[in-house]
Amino acid sequence: MLTRIDHIGIACFDLDKTVEFYRATYGFEVFHSEVNEEQGVREAMLKINETSDGGASYLQLLEPTREDSTVAKWLDRNGEGVHHIAFGTADVDGDAAAIRDKGVRVLYDEPRTGSMGSRITFLHPKDCGGVLTELVTAKGAEGSEDPHSH
Amino acid sequence: MLTRIDHIGIACFDLDKTVEFYRATYGFEVFHSEVNEEQGVREAMLKINETSDGGASYLQLLEPTREDSTVAKWLDRNGEGVHHIAFGTADVDGDAAAIRDKGVRVLYDEPRTGSMGSRITFLHPKDCGGVLTELVTAKGAEGSEDPHSH
C-alpha cells in the first residue's frame, strides 16, 4: 500500500549549482547526499516535510555520473526538470508484484538499492500516463504496515 | 516559508481514464474535483498523505478544458506527464515577494485561486532548473506559521 509521496526526482546538469538554487531560493537544506554507482547518479536529498505514515517527503536532485546512465540520456532528450515521482510503501516487493499483475511493467525483477539504503523499483512511464514512477521502501520501514511488527 | 510538498501536478488528455488508472493501480481515491475556468483545466485531487505542517500532499490530475489553456499547449509539446510541482506555505504573498526579490520570475502579480479555494502563484521554470514550480496557501491556512494566530 502506497502511503506517501516519498520524493520528487529532479534531473540536473550541475548538482552543486542546483543544491545552491534550492537553498538560496527556498531555504531547503541537504539532508543526505550520496553516489549511486548502479544508477549512475550523484544525488542530494532535501527533506521538505514529514508524513503521516511515519516517513518523509524529499526533493531528490540527480546529476549523472556517466554518459550511459539513464538520467544522462533523459537529460539529453528533455533538458533539466522533473525526472520521476516516488511513492513510499512498507512493502515494495508486494506492491510491485500486485502492480505487475495489473499489467503495468515493473522495470526490475527484484528491488534495487535507492537513496539512504532504501529498496526501490520503477514502473514504466508508458504504462503510467507518461510519469516515470518509483516505489520506495525506506530502510528499516519494511513491514511497518503490520501493527504486530512494532 | 515553504513547509511541504503540497502536490504534484500531472497533465493528461483524459481525466476520467487517468483517475481510474490511479484508483485501479494504487488504490488512490478522488478527494476533490473541480473545474478552474481561469486556468482552463478540469482537475481531480487525490490525497496521498498528511504532512507535518498540518497540511497534506496530493496528486493533482489536470485535463485541459480549452485548446488555448497553458496545460493544453504543454500537452501538445510534451505529451502526458508531470506538469508542475507545488510547495505549501502559510504565506504565498510574502514568499512570492521574497523569491521575486532573489531574481526568480513570479508569473502572477497577485496570487490567483487554485484547487479547493487555495491561493497560488507560479515561478518561471527557466529560473527553476526546468521545473514549473507553484506556491500554494491552502484555504484557511493563511498566517498559520504565526503561533499567536492560533
Side-chain angles (χ1 to χ4, degrees):
Chain A
M1 186 182 170
L2 310 184
T3 54
R4 71 178 174 279
I5 295 178
D6 186 86
H7 64 266
I8 300 168
I10 295 172
C12 63
F13 293 113
D14 184 330
L15 183 62
D16 296 340
K17 188 177 155 188
T18 304
V19 163
E20 177 54 19
F21 168 79
Y22 279 96
R23 193 202 59 73
T25 310
Y26 308 123
F28 297 155
E29 301 285 351
V30 174
F31 180 79
H32 175 84
S33 59
E34 68 182 273
V35 173
N36 187 320
E37 296 287 0
E38 184 178 28
Q39 302 283 343
V41 293
R42 191 162 80 92
E43 62 177 63
M45 298 292 277
L46 315 181
K47 187 173 180 175
I48 311 302
N49 57 265
E50 296 183 341
T51 55
S52 44
D53 66 348
S57 294
Y58 302 86
L59 294 187
Q60 181 187 54
L61 308 178
L62 300 160
E63 178 196 289
T65 54
R66 52 174 200 264
E67 287 181 13
D68 66 343
S69 71
T70 57
V71 171
K73 293 176 189 170
W74 187 92
L75 279 165
D76 282 344
R77 284 197 307 276
N78 300 284
E80 294 185 318
V82 177
H83 175 263
H84 69 272
I85 68 174
F87 298 113
T89 168
D91 181 15
V92 63
D93 299 85
D95 285 345
I99 289 168
R100 182 182 276 127
D101 284 347
K102 292 172 185 173
V104 173
R105 282 169 284 180
V106 177
L107 299 188
Y108 304 153
D109 289 335
E110 297 290 331
R112 298 184 187 177
T113 301
S115 303
M116 302 185 285
S118 61
R119 298 179 66 244
I120 65 170
T121 196
F122 286 93
L123 311 181
H124 199 300
K126 289 194 178 167
D127 295 343
C128 300
V131 179
L132 177 59
T133 303
E134 180 180 343
L135 309 181
V136 183
T137 296
K139 188 172 181 178
E142 295 85 356
S144 63
E145 279 177 49
D146 177 2
H148 301 292
S149 71
H150 288 290
Chain B
M1 185 181 170
L2 310 183
T3 52
R4 71 178 174 280
I5 294 178
D6 186 86
H7 65 265
I8 300 168
I10 295 173
C12 62
F13 292 114
D14 183 329
L15 183 61
D16 296 341
K17 188 176 154 188
T18 304
V19 163
E20 177 55 19
F21 168 79
Y22 279 95
R23 193 202 59 73
T25 309
Y26 308 123
F28 297 156
E29 301 286 350
V30 174
F31 180 78
H32 175 85
S33 59
E34 68 183 272
V35 173
N36 186 319
E37 296 287 1
E38 184 177 28
Q39 302 284 344
V41 293
R42 191 164 81 92
E43 62 178 63
M45 298 292 277
L46 315 181
K47 187 174 180 175
I48 310 303
N49 57 265
E50 296 183 339
T51 55
S52 45
D53 65 348
S57 294
Y58 301 86
L59 293 187
Q60 181 186 55
L61 308 178
L62 300 160
E63 178 196 287
T65 55
R66 52 175 200 264
E67 287 180 12
D68 66 343
S69 70
T70 57
V71 171
K73 291 175 189 170
W74 188 90
L75 279 164
D76 281 345
R77 283 196 309 275
N78 299 285
E80 295 186 318
V82 177
H83 175 261
H84 68 272
I85 68 174
F87 298 113
T89 168
D91 181 15
V92 63
D93 299 86
D95 285 344
I99 289 168
R100 181 181 276 126
D101 285 347
K102 292 172 184 172
V104 173
R105 282 169 284 179
V106 178
L107 299 189
Y108 303 152
D109 288 336
E110 296 289 333
R112 298 185 186 177
T113 301
S115 303
M116 303 185 285
S118 61
R119 298 179 67 244
I120 65 170
T121 197
F122 286 94
L123 311 180
H124 199 302
K126 288 194 178 167
D127 295 343
C128 300
V131 178
L132 176 60
T133 303
E134 179 180 343
L135 310 181
V136 183
T137 296
K139 188 173 181 177
E142 295 85 354
S144 64
E145 279 177 48
D146 178 1
H148 301 293
S149 71
H150 288 288

